[in-house]
Amino acid sequence: MSKTVFLINGPNLNLLGKREPAIYGADTLEDVAHRCEALAKPAKFDLKSMQSNHEGQIIDWIHQARDEAQAIIINPGAFTHTSIAIYDALQAYEGLVFEVHISNVHKREAFRHHSYVSARAEGVIAGFGVEGYELALRRVISLLG
Ligand code: DQA
């Protein structure tokens, strides 16, 4: 049976490639999805890439993952630092969770240093640019493949 991974991106990440390129780089979210797809396919993983600017939509996708996905790779954007509701949804999820940040949040403003999601994640990647998504996916594949 093939395994499913949800790749969930939060607010403002739809602007990847256009938004503050000095911090987030020139690649778009579509580029990220294609590169992750190229890793997932030969490993026989089904990758579902999604992005929303809305907290409730992200929570609904995490609930959906309870029945449909063995792992979640999530970059919650600024909700990382604010959302107890996303943390609660992840607590109610039983699969693997990996948290990704494109930038090194610890090198930035103090308000980015705390993450609600890290207390639930098996692993956290920050500051590896968009390659962080592929690194997280490699880890999922080596744990579940
Ligand atoms: C981010 C870091 C967050 O602090 C910020 O709000 C984002 C992107 C990152 O990928 O580096 O939107 O999660």
Side-chain angles (χ1 to χ4, degrees), residues 11 13 19 24 75 77-78 80-81 100-103 105 108 112:
L13 289 160
R19 167 197 189 200
Y24 298 112
N75 181 348
T80 306
H81 319 298
V100 173
H101 299 287
I102 298 164
S103 64
V105 283
R108 301 180 65 193
R112 296 185 203 276

Side-chain angles (χ1 to χ4, degrees), residues 80-131:
T80 306
H81 319 298
T82 62
S83 181
I84 297 168
I86 288 177
Y87 169 74
D88 282 348
L90 289 169
Q91 286 286 67
Y93 173 70
E94 291 183 353
L96 298 174
V97 175
F98 286 93
E99 177 183 353
V100 173
H101 299 287
I102 298 164
S103 64
N104 179 2
V105 283
H106 302 289
K107 201 182 172 192
R108 301 180 65 193
E109 302 96 322
F111 64 81
R112 296 185 203 276
H113 296 177
H114 177 260
S115 163
Y116 284 102
V117 173
S118 297
R120 166 61 183 89
E122 336 306 325
V124 183
I125 294 173
F128 285 72
V130 292
E131 282 176 58

